[in-house]
Amino acid sequence: MKHLLKLSDLTDKEILEILNLADQLKYERKHNIAHRHLEGKTLGMIFQKSSTRTRVSFETGMYQLGGQALFLSNRDLQIGRGEPVQDTARVLSRYLDGIMIRTFEQKEVEDLAKYGSIPVINGLTDYCHPCQILADLMTIREYKGSFKGLKACFVGDGNNMANSLIVGCLKVGMSFALACPKGYEPCEDILQFAKNYGDKFTMTTDIMTAAKDADVLLTDVWASMGQEEEKAKREKAFAGYQINDAVMSVAHKDALVLHCLPAHREEEITEKVFEAHAKEIFEEAENRLHAQKAVMVKLMKG
Ligand code: CP
Ligand code: NVA
């Protein structure tokens, strides 16, 4: 494993190794056991979109590992003025030990890895959000003990979250049911990937069918970053695609509810369900820190 560009690049074993290391780092942090695996190393963090969790968890994670992180906004970088990613990659590779990038196009992340010579970590693109899904899987295993026999259900947009969740959940052995409106399905290559898993993957427009007997329910905003202009159109298309009491009543009684955050209450999830499951939702947010520290150790320890 040289980069984390998308989850489908990782073997099932590599995903489990990251999750195991993440558990260990979480334990060590809780017990004040230092783990300065990246002493003297620097992570550059390029942000072309907003972030609370990703920025803060990578920055503090790097600090806890004995290294440092640089916040590089595209408003300040020459990349924002048109310097090609090929050149940026080759320059940054001479200063840094790793790059985390949050941007629009997946190709930009892949190009950074192609032209640079240091590990690249995808901190969200329009196509996928691998770091988030590693934290989600970590949280699911923490609460449920294992992935065996579990059913995940995602309600909403076939977006970056859905794309990555489908890959991640299927790879660790869970089954996956997606409920999304027509015209908002995940990317075609993700649907092709899911085909390899036979009836472990299902897609429907009917939320109740997807949520039936689910062990984990997940959702995300109706309009992602960069889709602000489609807000009104999307509010119409996604009306009813909400995790609420009715949806919870057909899931398992002890079902988890996860949300990558930020959440839009009374849109994709009701305030009531959100608050009833706040414990695991914020554990999920915390696990971003541990999962990403594991990724950085795997990629950057050298
Ligand atoms: N879930 C997530 O990636 O949050 P941020 O956009 O705040 O980084
Ligand atoms: N789908 C959302 C996820 C945010 C973490 C977005 O891309 O804006």
Side-chain angles (χ1 to χ4, degrees):
M1 175 180 162
K2 278 167 70 183
H3 305 283
L4 176 59
L5 309 179
K6 53 186 182 297
L7 286 181
S8 53
D9 294 340
L10 270 51
T11 63
D12 304 358
K13 187 166 164 257
E14 281 171 331
I15 293 182
L16 292 174
E17 281 170 3
I18 293 169
L19 299 181
N20 292 344
L21 179 57
D23 285 347
Q24 186 190 328
L25 293 170
K26 184 170 185 174
Y27 174 88
E28 288 174 358
R29 179 157 163 74
K30 216 168 243 156
H31 294 84
N32 284 321
I33 303 168
H35 41 225
R36 298 173 67 84
H37 299 294
L38 299 181
E39 197 112 52
K41 307 235 174 189
T42 305
L43 176 80
M45 309 186 299
I46 303 176
F47 281 95
Q48 312 232 24
K49 290 175 174 172
S50 307
S51 169
T52 297
R53 281 143 289 269
T54 306
R55 179 186 173 177
V56 178
S57 55
F58 266 106
E59 193 162 335
T60 51
M62 201 54 198
Y63 177 75
Q64 289 165 17
L65 290 167
Q68 61 166 350
L70 299 178
F71 174 71
L72 305 166
S73 152
N74 75 313
R75 277 190 296 275
D76 308 319
L77 288 175
Q78 295 287 9
I79 217 171
R81 295 179 56 246
E83 183 170 14
V85 69
Q86 299 94 299
D87 297 356
T88 306
R90 285 177 285 186
V91 170
L92 293 183
S93 292
R94 289 170 182 258
Y95 306 137
L96 302 169
D97 302 286
I99 301 174
M100 191 288 311
I101 175 165
R102 165 167 288 197
T103 188
F104 295 87
E105 278 183 46
Q106 179 70 13
K107 186 174 181 304
E108 194 177 345
V109 179
E110 306 268 348
D111 279 350
L112 207 50
K114 183 172 162 192
Y115 293 100
S117 52
I118 54 174
V120 173
I121 301 171
N122 183 340
L124 181 146
T125 59
D126 293 344
Y127 173 68
C128 66
H129 197 1
C131 292
Q132 179 68 52
I133 277 57
L134 291 171
D136 295 0
L137 294 175
M138 180 181 174
T139 312
I140 293 168
R141 197 170 67 165
E142 202 172 314
Y143 275 85
K144 296 288 180 188
S146 95
F147 297 116
K148 209 162 173 251
L150 296 184
K151 175 183 175 178
C153 165
F154 181 88
V155 175
D157 193 12
N159 61 9
N160 43 13
M161 277 299 298
N163 282 338
S164 288
L165 276 169
I166 292 169
V167 175
C169 290
L170 291 174
K171 267 179 167 291
V172 298
M174 299 172 70
S175 63
F176 196 96
L178 172 69
C180 67
K182 269 212 150 39
Y184 294 92
E185 292 86 3
C187 292
E188 194 46 47
D189 66 309
I190 299 289
L191 296 176
Q192 285 305 322
F193 171 92
K195 272 201 181 138
N196 300 322
Y197 291 83
D199 59 9
K200 284 193 117 181
F201 175 76
T202 56
M203 182 166 75
T204 169
T205 54
D206 185 62
I207 305 166
M208 291 304 181
T209 305
K212 190 159 171 18
D213 298 329
D215 300 285
V216 189
L217 291 132
L218 305 107
T219 188
D220 185 17
V221 292
W222 293 342
S224 287
M225 290 182 276
Q227 297 173 334
E228 288 78 8
E229 279 163 27
E230 296 176 32
K231 197 171 179 291
K233 181 180 141 205
R234 284 174 167 269
E235 272 170 14
K236 258 199 204 145
F238 287 98
Y241 282 83
Q242 181 187 66
I243 300 188
N244 52 32
D245 283 347
V247 172
M248 294 309 295
S249 75
V250 299
H252 272 152
K253 255 218 301 286
D254 58 354
L256 298 176
V257 176
L258 297 180
H259 194 307
C260 61
L261 304 175
H264 290 182
R265 289 163 171 79
E266 306 309 329
E267 290 187 13
E268 75 275 5
I269 189 166
T270 58
E271 165 97 30
K272 189 172 165 218
V273 172
F274 183 92
E275 290 303 337
H277 292 270
K279 192 164 177 286
E280 65 252 29
I281 291 171
F282 290 103
E283 198 70 42
E284 173 190 15
E286 176 185 326
N287 285 342
R288 292 291 304 277
L289 172 73
H290 310 298
Q292 288 157 198
K293 282 167 74 179
V295 169
M296 291 192 287
V297 171
K298 289 264 179 219
L299 293 176
M300 293 166 62
K301 195 168 175 186

